[in-house]
């Protein structure tokens, strides 16, 4: 296959015209004539057999290219023009089709009008092209243009709504602000993409990168590197390592980098943290109409990158070491990176619901905090949400926009005790939301996805089973800080102690080397600071997390001046 009509040999995002002819002389002549009139606005792609032509179409499909017109010679060995066009239709059903025939074959061409929905047949030779070729191609292009063919240059995900890994991949891409288009493996276009990639659909999802590479069931790290997210530090040593990419970590990265510190932020999954999963943050300063977590994260990421901070995703920190004045953080894959200072901003992670059936059905109807990603899939369905705090209330209000009904399952006797007043009012004012207090989930049932829930009345112990396809769980969160065992002091629940909390009884932390007490957000290890939800006694709010990130950077400067 050869491509022509592109400046400097690079593929341009122009619709393609494909010609297939087994006679190289004829093939070149068609391409030459097409290039002369259409080469500026179209890619002219030439193939010399049906098989070659199909390969070219599949590659273009994976890249998300547009194909406007396909011209195929009728008489070709192995696969004739009609057979080729029939198979080409499976890949590009909207492309306009014409058959090149000799006079003797016009009967076959007329039959093909029905078989492959042929738009035209052209008699060879077509000289002069101004009279015989261009008017036909003009009209094919006009008819193709009259339909909607917006280019799909973004990442494509072919999956199934009950495939747990498919929903994790969607969530990962969404949270990393990677634009993608979702195709169900049951739909025609999904099937076409699977076929084009040579995938059987048994292992899902299939992810097709903007470059046209097909990845089957990719890991987060593989995805990150293939969709353009940085995963490895560019240097061995920094002024500041920020661990965690939620509001506190992003805040620290913005202030650190903008104030001249060589800063790297290391995030386990996707930046944004818990806030990234919030449908609408209404109480963050400067956004009177609220802001979605995704928007806030996107802006913060861009801001941090603008100031020169390096942002790494899909890198989990599993260890912290102290060597004199140097601090080192270790990654799960055995590599590490060093710095003068570290800010721990690892936040908290959703608590798991531990009742029979839930673990098996997670990602298959049961979701933790992925209400935003799944919202379109569960439109017009009945949805259950477990939890009585703000995160559950926000999810209920958000999902109620599309769902048939939303039922909030609350263990306590009222919402008022656990949810902000403004959200309680919004829940009450939304007719599609009903609240069941004193109710807990006792079990989840379903073969390959959630089908039923057993609910228990916490006062009487009575149980009832309800049909349910969707359950979102928001039952609080805990810090994941075991990896700091023996290095950084934490309270009995795992939250990191800092500043005044370390010296509550008047004595300095064990092994503390300085005359001064720890700075306000400094941990029991000098030069290692903490910010946001992971700090003991923190406020658990976006604004305070961002504020602590900024304040920790100010203390980093103070620490560095004393070194
Ligand atoms: C659904 C929802 C709605 C909310 N709505 C509001 C609201 O309206 N207003 C408000 O003020 N607050 C709200 N909150 C609370 C707010 O989001 C949090 O207080 C805030 O996100 C805390 O920020 P953080 O950076 O400290 O931690 P987090 O947001 O928890 O971020 C921590 C980050 O660290 C990463 N991480 C953890 N361990 C590691 C490791 N070992 N290595 C690398 N990375 C790691 C995590 O993956 C995560 O991205 C909401 C929370 C939720 C869940």
């Amino acid at each position: 296959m050869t491509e022509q009509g592109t400046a400097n040999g690079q593929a341009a995002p122009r619709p393609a015209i494909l010609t297939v002819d087994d006679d190289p002389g004829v093939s070149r002549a068609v391409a030459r004539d097409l290039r002369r009139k259409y080469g500026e606005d179209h890619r002219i792609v030439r193939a010399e057999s049906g098989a070659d032509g199909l390969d070219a179409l599949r590659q273009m499909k994976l890249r998300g290219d547009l194909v406007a017109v396909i011209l195929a010679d009728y008489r070709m060995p192995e696969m004739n023009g009609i057979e080729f066009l029939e198979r080409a239709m499976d890949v590009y059903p909207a492309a306009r089709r014409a058959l090149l025939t000799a006079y003797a074959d016009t009967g076959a061409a007329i039959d093909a009008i029905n078989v492959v929905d042929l738009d035209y047949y052209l008699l060879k030779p077509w000289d002069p092209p101004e009279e015989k070729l261009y008017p036909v191609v003009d009209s094919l292009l006009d008819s193709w243009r009259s339909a909607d063919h917006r280019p799909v240059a973004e990442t494509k995900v072919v999956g199934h709504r009950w495939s747990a890994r498919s929903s994790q991949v969607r969530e990962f891409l969404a949270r990393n602000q990677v634009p993608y288009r979702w195709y169900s493996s049951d739909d025609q276009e999904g099937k076409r993409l699977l076929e084009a990639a040579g995938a059987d659909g048994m292992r899902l999802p299939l992810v097709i990168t903007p470059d046209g590479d097909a990845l089957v069931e990719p890991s987060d790290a593989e995805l990150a590197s293939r969709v353009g997210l940085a995963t490895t530090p560019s240097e061995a040593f920094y002024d500041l390592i920020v661990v965690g990419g939620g509001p506190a970590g992003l805040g620290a990265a913005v202030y650190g980098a903008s104030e001249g510190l060589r800063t790297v932020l290391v995030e386990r999954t996707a930046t944004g943290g818990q806030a990234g999963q919030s449908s609408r943050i209404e109480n963050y300063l400067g956004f009177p109409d609220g802001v979605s977590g995704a928007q806030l994260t996107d802006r913060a990421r861009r801001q941090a990158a603008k100031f020169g901070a390096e942002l790494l995703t899909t890198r989990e920190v599993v260890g912290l070491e102290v060597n004199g004045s140097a601090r080192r953080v270790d990654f799960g894959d055995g590599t590490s990176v060093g710095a003068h200072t570290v800010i721990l901003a690892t936040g908290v992670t959703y608590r798991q619901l531990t009742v029979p059936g839930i673990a098996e059905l997670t990602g298959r109807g049961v979701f933790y905090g992925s209400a935003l990603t799944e919202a379109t899939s569960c439109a017009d369905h009945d949805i259950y949400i477990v939890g009585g705090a703000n995160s559950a209330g926000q999810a209920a209000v958000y999902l109620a926009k599309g769902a048939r009904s939303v039922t909030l399952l609350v263990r306590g006797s009222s919402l008022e005790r656990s949810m902000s007043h403004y959200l309680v009012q919004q829940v009450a004012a939304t007719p599609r939301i009903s609240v069941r207090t004193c109710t807990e989930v006792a079990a989840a049932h379903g073969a390959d996805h959630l089908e039923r829930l057993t609910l228990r009345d916490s006062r009487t112990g009575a149980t009832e089973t309800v049909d349910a396809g969707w359950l979102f769980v928001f039952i609080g969160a805990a810090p994941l800080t075991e990896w700091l065992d023996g290095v950084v002091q934490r309270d009995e629940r795992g939250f990191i102690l800092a500043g005044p909390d370390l010296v509550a009884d008047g004595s300095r932390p064990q092994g503390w080397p300085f005359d001064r007490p720890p700075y306000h957000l400094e941990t029991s290890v000098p030069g290692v600071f903490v910010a946001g939800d992971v700090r003991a006694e923190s406020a658990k709010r976006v604004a305070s997390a961002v504020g602590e990130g900024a304040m920790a950077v100010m203390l980093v400067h103070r620490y560095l001046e004393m070194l």
Side-chain angles (χ1 to χ4, degrees):
M1 180 201 72
T2 54
E3 291 184 12
Q4 304 180 21
T6 56
N8 63 32
Q10 289 198 336
R14 295 170 292 170
I17 301 177
L18 170 71
T19 82
V20 188
D21 200 310
D22 64 308
D23 178 332
V26 177
S27 173
R28 270 196 295 274
V30 186
R32 181 200 59 218
D33 286 344
L34 289 173
R35 197 169 63 240
R36 189 145 54 87
K37 175 146 166 70
Y38 305 103
E40 202 167 317
D41 301 323
H42 300 81
R43 285 171 63 210
I44 311 299
V45 180
R46 185 162 73 82
E48 292 185 1
S49 71
D52 257 13
L54 286 175
D55 265 359
L57 288 175
R58 289 193 190 108
Q59 282 174 30
M60 288 190 279
K61 185 82 188 172
L62 291 180
R63 284 203 301 263
D65 293 351
L66 296 172
V67 176
V69 172
I70 305 174
L71 303 175
D73 184 37
Y74 172 60
R75 286 197 180 216
M76 294 191 291
E78 282 155 26
M79 191 188 302
N80 74 31
I82 297 174
E83 288 162 346
F84 165 75
L85 287 173
E86 201 174 355
R87 294 180 60 182
M89 273 171 77
D90 289 339
V91 189
Y92 276 99
R96 300 290 97 209
R97 294 172 282 274
L99 200 64
L100 296 175
T101 60
Y103 185 74
D105 297 324
T106 47
I110 291 165
D111 291 344
I113 290 178
N114 296 325
V115 180
V116 292
D117 194 16
L118 197 68
D119 295 293
Y120 271 102
Y121 65 91
L122 277 162
L123 286 182
K124 293 197 274 191
W126 56 88
D127 286 325
E130 283 73 14
E131 269 178 40
K132 297 195 175 154
L133 179 66
Y134 298 157
V136 171
V137 177
D138 280 348
S139 116
L140 291 172
L141 285 170
D142 278 350
S143 117
W144 178 81
R145 274 192 221 104
S146 61
D148 181 10
H149 304 291
R150 278 171 301 175
V152 187
E154 75 273 77
T155 300
K156 304 181 194 67
V157 181
V158 185
H160 194 275
R161 67 176 165 156
W162 302 133
S163 142
R165 185 64 196 144
S166 296
S167 42
Q168 285 162 3
V169 163
R170 287 174 78 178
E171 174 87 4
F172 175 80
L173 292 174
R175 290 188 54 199
N176 274 300
Q177 278 88 43
V178 177
Y180 71 91
R181 194 168 286 194
W182 165 257
Y183 300 88
S184 167
S185 57
D186 295 334
D187 293 345
Q188 280 309 316
E189 189 62 8
K191 286 180 185 155
R192 275 187 208 113
L193 288 167
L194 285 170
E195 208 214 310
D200 59 9
M202 298 304 286
R203 289 170 60 217
L204 288 173
L206 166 74
V207 177
I208 299 162
T209 66
D211 298 334
D213 293 334
L215 317 172
V216 177
E217 251 187 328
S219 67
D220 283 357
E222 196 181 351
L223 264 182
S225 62
R226 301 298 282 275
V227 297
L229 299 167
T231 54
T232 39
S234 66
E235 294 181 36
F237 201 84
Y238 292 80
D239 294 322
L240 168 64
I241 300 172
V242 180
V243 185
L250 285 167
V254 166
Y255 285 94
S258 69
E259 290 166 18
L261 298 176
R262 286 172 303 143
T263 304
V264 63
L265 178 148
V266 185
E267 165 54 47
R268 187 169 51 132
T269 52
T271 44
Q274 301 162 69
Q277 301 172 36
S278 169
S279 49
R280 186 147 290 272
I281 300 163
E282 306 226 29
N283 53 0
Y284 188 55
L285 186 74
F287 292 90
D289 303 318
V291 58
S292 77
Q295 271 178 305
L296 196 62
T297 302
D298 180 43
R299 286 164 189 235
R301 267 183 77 105
R302 284 192 280 123
Q303 203 172 6
K306 183 185 87 176
F307 287 123
E310 261 181 59
L311 306 180
L312 311 182
T313 46
T314 67
R315 297 309 297 270
E316 178 159 17
V317 172
V318 297
L320 172 67
E321 287 184 43
V322 179
N323 294 313
S325 66
R327 313 284 168 254
R328 196 180 84 188
V329 303
D330 302 323
F331 300 126
D333 64 358
T335 58
S336 58
V337 63
H340 293 301
T341 58
V342 174
I343 295 178
L344 301 168
T346 52
V348 294
T349 302
Y350 287 114
R351 208 166 268 140
Q352 307 286 303
L353 187 59
T354 50
V355 300
I358 289 286
E360 297 79 0
L361 294 167
T362 297
R364 301 167 185 272
V366 175
F367 298 94
Y368 288 89
S370 30
L372 297 182
T373 316
E374 297 301 327
T376 45
S377 309
C378 57
D380 296 324
H381 289 252
D382 299 314
I383 293 168
Y384 287 83
I385 296 175
V386 193
N390 282 4
S391 52
Q394 279 182 7
V397 172
Y398 182 77
L399 290 168
K401 289 180 194 150
R404 187 163 55 195
S405 75
V406 174
T407 308
L408 256 182
L409 305 172
V410 184
R411 208 161 43 167
S413 57
S414 84
L415 269 188
E416 278 75 8
R417 290 174 49 194
S418 50
M419 199 177 280
S420 294
H421 180 64
Y422 79 91
L423 265 176
V424 175
Q425 284 181 319
Q426 285 184 16
V427 166
T430 311
R432 285 188 202 168
I433 304 179
S434 50
V435 181
R436 287 183 62 158
T437 52
C438 301
T439 306
E440 52 199 25
V441 175
H445 318 270
D448 65 342
H449 62 91
L450 179 68
E451 291 167 33
R452 289 177 311 285
L453 288 172
T454 300
L455 305 180
R456 183 168 42 226
D457 185 316
S458 55
R459 290 159 303 191
T460 63
T463 59
E464 128 184 54
T465 299
V466 294
D467 289 338
W470 302 90
L471 177 73
F472 293 89
V473 184
F474 295 89
I475 53 167
L480 292 182
T481 51
E482 291 77 12
W483 58 279
L484 291 167
D485 253 356
V487 185
V488 171
Q489 278 187 30
R490 297 167 301 142
D491 71 8
E492 64 290 348
R493 291 186 301 149
F495 289 96
I496 296 171
L497 296 164
D501 293 330
L502 283 167
V503 291
D505 61 357
S507 57
R508 303 267 152 88
Q510 213 181 1
W512 185 256
F514 300 122
D515 291 340
R516 66 166 176 85
Y519 295 133
H520 201 77
L521 296 176
E522 199 170 22
T523 68
S524 57
V525 178
V528 175
F529 298 83
V530 60
D533 281 14
V534 71
R535 187 175 66 79
E537 309 300 329
S538 58
K540 313 287 185 287
R541 290 283 182 277
V542 176
S544 45
V546 172
E548 288 188 12
M551 182 176 169
V553 169
M554 186 267 284
L555 298 170
V556 161
H557 284 296
R558 196 180 289 175
Y559 170 85
L560 288 174
E561 280 159 20
M562 305 288 288
L563 266 188

